[in-house]
Amino acid sequence: MDSQIKKIHQQLVSKEITCTALVQEKLNLIKENKYNSVNSLLDTLALDLAAKVDVKIANGETIGLLEGIPFGIKDVYMVQGTYTTASSELLKNYKSPYTATAIQKLLDAGAIPLVKENCDSFGHGSSSENTIFGAVKNAINPELVAGGSSGGSAVNVAKEYTVFSIGGDTGGSIRQPAGYNAIYGFKPTYGRVSRFGLMAYASSTDCVGPLAKSIEDIRIVLNVISGKDPKDQTSINSNEISEDAITASEVKTIGYFKNFVENDAIDVQVKADFLAAIEKIKAKGITVKELDFFKSDILVSTYYTLAMAETASNLSRLDGTNYGNRIEAENLIETYAVTRSENFSEETKRRIVGGNQVLSQGFSDEIYLKGLALRDQISENFSKDFEEVDVILSPVTPSTPPKIGDSLKDPLAMYLSDAYTVGFSLGQLPTMTVPQGTPTGLQITAAKNNDELVLKFANFLKDTI
Ligand code: GLN
């Protein structure tokens, strides 16, 4: 699909549509939707902003490309004055006191926020069932999960309720639901987009990124939200990616991890389709190398060890005193305990308990420090790979989306469904899902800071597969 942003921009400028009508139409669709993709509507704000865009157009003023473009926000981003619940009971009534940098940049560019989107609570999950707002339903088959944790964002884009959405990806949460709902989802190089105002899950891999229906829309939004931010010391400077820069692919060599496909866990169809895609790429004269990598269960256990440790620390502030719905008990300690045990979901508690365990004395050397050492080895492995290949191609998930309800019965199986996404998160690499190749898409990954090459290769794949 071509750029929706450019198309709508033209329609607004040529007065074919008004921004108010456009926003109202999208709000109506969102309100009526049966996919549980919505936590709260930002209708008053959206209609106010739309009216201002219409006045500008009526006065003959020029408008920017993103001005008047409706978008969605995963419900883990602060937008001043709006509810930011992280889909949790604990923060059900929490209102953001400030606005996240990435969202502020979009607001400054004139984009119009419509909705805070349903997701797994605090980003904990791969199905968007771990939420107080009801399991998000898959946009293609509503009996299946939407994927997670940015499930509401993926469904809103897939159904065209929003033109793009801002998700969050710690271990796959943009890429996996993008794959399950057949759209594009981009996780930038760690630090390219400021995390300020994103509720922290695992700070060392949390990334802010767009979901959209075209590569061009991903590029436009990525440029706007990127940049060093004094409020996030891990954020970095990056160059703008031009439209021309991502048209002609210069990729000569790609690689794929042999053990990702020669594995019992992969669905036969996903495997056959992935290998067929590889053949089509070879037929274009590109060299394809098989690469060695860590076994997927090592990747999953390393990721979950570190992610649980970080989330246990990050969520320790949510005790009903500074934040969250407080449940009073006999004394302060009891109040903390009851507040946290009643208000966190089972999945979140599992992670807090696991995280505190791996950080505790007697265990941290054996488990947490080992996890950190493995992460270094994973990064080294990637550095070596990118001396040999330009991009790495992988499936996004080992299998197709499960039925709603199934993942809740088996958390370990859910963790293993992240096998192909978490490694790239640990490496802090730029990586993207494209809705092609396998039933849950393909994942394109490049070396750190080479986000441009990911988009370039995505354009090449669009015409190749
Ligand atoms: N499914 C992974 C997890 O539960 C990734 C989630 C995410 O990226 N937020 O940790």
Side-chain angles (χ1 to χ4, degrees):
M1 183 182 275
D2 294 334
S3 166
Q4 290 298 293
I5 294 176
K6 287 182 172 167
K7 185 176 140 207
I8 294 172
H9 178 71
Q10 273 316 317
Q11 290 172 327
L12 289 171
V13 170
S14 65
K15 301 194 178 139
E16 203 179 304
I17 54 169
T18 68
C19 190
T20 304
L22 170 72
V23 165
Q24 190 62 65
E25 182 200 320
K26 300 269 184 210
L27 285 171
N28 291 345
L29 288 171
I30 294 173
K31 240 184 262 177
E32 289 159 12
N33 103 83
K34 301 264 189 302
Y35 291 83
N36 289 337
S37 61
V38 179
N39 288 1
S40 54
L41 269 186
L42 308 178
D43 42 0
T44 313
L45 173 65
L47 287 166
D48 261 11
L49 292 172
K52 287 189 184 132
V53 174
D54 283 333
V55 169
K56 263 180 109 170
I57 295 169
N59 289 341
E61 291 176 49
T62 46
I63 59 162
L65 191 54
L66 275 185
E67 226 163 324
I69 304 294
F71 74 106
I73 305 171
K74 182 177 182 181
D75 201 10
V76 287
Y77 288 96
M78 304 292 164
V79 181
Q80 194 172 35
T82 69
Y83 288 106
T84 303
T85 70
S87 295
S88 70
E89 193 64 40
L90 190 74
L91 297 178
K92 196 163 67 177
N93 303 314
Y94 178 72
K95 277 201 172 166
S96 323
Y98 60 90
T99 300
T101 299
I103 306 301
Q104 190 60 52
K105 284 177 177 233
L106 290 166
L107 297 177
D108 292 345
I112 299 190
L114 299 184
V115 53
K116 301 296 269 300
E117 300 170 313
N118 200 355
C119 56
D120 283 304
S121 195
F122 298 104
H124 297 157
S126 315
S127 64
S128 291
E129 295 170 288
N130 174 25
T131 158
I132 60 162
F133 295 98
V136 186
K137 297 178 185 171
N138 189 287
I140 301 161
N141 177 353
E143 291 191 352
L144 308 180
V145 303
S149 61
S150 312
S153 309
V155 169
N156 286 338
V157 169
K159 302 298 290 180
E160 297 184 17
Y161 301 154
T162 60
V163 176
F164 66 90
S165 285
I166 298 298
D169 190 313
T170 304
S173 278
I174 289 176
R175 289 162 284 158
Q176 191 254 35
Y180 279 4
N181 294 281
I183 57 166
Y184 292 92
F186 190 91
K187 181 197 96 64
T189 296
Y190 179 79
R192 186 181 182 102
V193 182
S194 166
R195 289 178 291 115
F196 179 74
L198 159 65
M199 275 185 195
Y201 166 11
S203 312
S204 70
T205 60
D206 284 347
C207 288
V208 180
L211 298 104
K213 279 202 150 175
S214 68
I215 300 165
E216 183 58 2
D217 287 351
I218 295 276
R219 181 191 73 83
I220 293 168
V221 176
L222 180 66
N223 279 336
V224 171
I225 61 180
S226 295
K228 192 165 173 56
D229 177 11
K231 294 176 186 147
D232 172 3
Q233 292 303 309
T234 60
S235 63
I236 51 170
N237 279 316
S238 53
N239 291 332
E240 179 148 332
I241 300 172
S242 71
E243 188 176 356
D244 288 348
I246 62 162
T247 45
S249 172
E250 294 141 12
V251 168
K252 294 199 175 66
T253 314
I254 71 155
Y256 74 92
F257 296 130
K258 235 178 1 217
N259 66 329
F260 276 13
V261 275
E262 284 162 17
N263 185 314
D264 291 345
I266 191 168
D267 175 275
V268 279
Q269 191 65 46
V270 174
K271 178 175 175 171
D273 289 353
F274 180 77
L275 293 173
I278 291 286
E279 289 309 316
K280 286 187 190 156
I281 293 167
K282 277 187 191 159
K284 289 276 177 182
I286 291 181
T287 308
V288 178
K289 289 191 176 173
E290 289 182 351
L291 302 168
D292 288 323
F293 198 41
F294 291 81
K295 285 204 183 115
S296 18
D297 52 350
I298 295 183
L299 296 174
V300 170
S301 45
T302 304
Y303 166 78
Y304 275 99
T305 300
L306 300 179
M308 286 188 186
E310 292 187 34
T311 206
S313 306
N314 278 324
L315 297 187
S316 63
R317 76 189 76 145
L318 302 183
D319 58 11
T321 298
N322 294 307
Y323 304 97
N325 294 336
R326 182 185 178 97
I327 302 174
E328 290 294 345
E330 272 173 26
N331 54 46
L332 191 58
I333 301 247
E334 278 295 301
T335 298
Y336 289 158
V338 175
T339 297
R340 285 167 65 82
S341 56
E342 293 295 314
N343 282 323
F344 280 132
S345 68
E346 288 307 305
E347 184 57 40
T348 294
K349 282 188 276 191
R350 190 161 22 247
R351 291 171 188 228
I352 292 174
V353 171
N356 284 325
Q357 164 98 2
V358 303
L359 289 173
S360 60
Q361 208 176 7
F363 291 97
S364 63
D365 290 5
E366 271 297 305
I367 311 176
Y368 180 68
L369 295 185
K370 199 165 165 194
L372 288 180
L374 271 164
R375 163 198 274 217
D376 288 345
Q377 288 174 29
I378 289 165
S379 295
E380 271 170 39
N381 202 311
F382 283 134
S383 304
K384 284 203 202 101
D385 288 339
F386 286 116
E387 284 168 15
E388 280 190 47
V389 301
D390 302 313
V391 301
I392 294 173
L393 195 71
S394 340
V396 179
T397 58
S399 40
T400 50
K403 279 221 170 90
I404 289 178
D406 284 358
S407 310
L408 296 176
K409 291 180 214 142
D410 191 351
L412 186 60
M414 185 184 77
Y415 299 164
L416 287 169
S417 77
D418 297 330
Y420 302 154
T421 51
V422 293
F424 302 123
S425 295
L426 291 170
Q428 304 190 328
L429 305 178
T431 173
M432 179 191 198
T433 289
V434 299
Q436 284 173 285
T438 82
T440 59
L442 292 169
Q443 189 177 199
I444 303 169
T445 307
K448 229 178 194 174
N449 299 318
N450 213 348
D451 303 53
E452 183 174 297
L453 189 63
V454 174
L455 296 177
K456 212 185 250 195
F457 194 66
N459 263 326
F460 165 80
L461 278 191
K462 188 160 65 91
D463 305 324
T464 304
I465 292 177

